[in-house]
Amino acid sequence: MPTPHLPTPAVRKVLRKLGNNIHEARMHRKLPMSVVAERASTSRPTLSRLEKGDPSVSIGIYASVLQALGLLDDLAGLADPLRDSVGQQLVSAALSMRARIPVNNRRDRNV
């Protein structure tokens, strides 16, 4: 039997923020929960849990709701390697290390 996952406080905080952002987007569009839930092929209770930041809601439901609100492209950019500054620095450092030729392996080609 799998062990239940208990998200850290930081994860719960981010999920609450994301849920609130989705709620605000729905309200700005003046869309009732029933319409967004239907467009996302989910239930109103699940949408309500998502808007409250419930960590048990699957990422697939988040994606469907974001699509129903016209915000799906924002999800695709979350882990974009081009926006990952730490990853870019690590790749750059690794490349610069490989590009160096050790001094003791150089040969004098001026004969």
Side-chain angles (χ1 to χ4, degrees):
M1 181 176 209
T3 305
H5 173 69
L6 182 62
T8 65
V11 169
R12 291 193 307 266
K13 181 179 178 181
V14 168
L15 288 174
R16 281 192 305 272
K17 172 77 168 112
L18 176 58
N20 187 59
N21 290 350
I22 290 171
H23 173 78
E24 290 291 322
R26 182 176 63 78
M27 298 306 289
H28 289 162
R29 289 162 176 72
K30 296 182 170 69
L31 292 171
M33 286 185 96
S34 58
V35 169
V36 174
E38 182 179 334
R39 289 180 184 175
S41 300
T42 193
S43 65
R44 285 186 71 225
T46 299
L47 179 58
S48 177
R49 289 183 14 244
L50 178 149
E51 290 185 354
K52 292 175 183 169
D54 183 338
S56 69
V57 176
S58 77
I59 190 146
I61 300 296
Y62 276 94
S64 295
V65 169
L66 289 169
Q67 182 178 32
L69 296 172
L71 299 170
L72 186 59
D73 289 343
D74 295 340
L75 179 62
L78 285 180
D80 185 346
L82 297 176
R83 294 179 14 191
D84 179 7
S85 60
V86 172
Q88 291 294 326
Q89 289 173 358
L90 292 170
V91 167
S92 179
L95 287 176
S96 67
M97 292 297 288
R98 282 186 273 170
R100 294 184 186 153
I101 299 172
V103 175
N104 58 358
N105 287 343
R106 291 185 193 164
R107 296 184 185 180
D108 187 22
R109 296 184 188 241
N110 296 332
V111 178

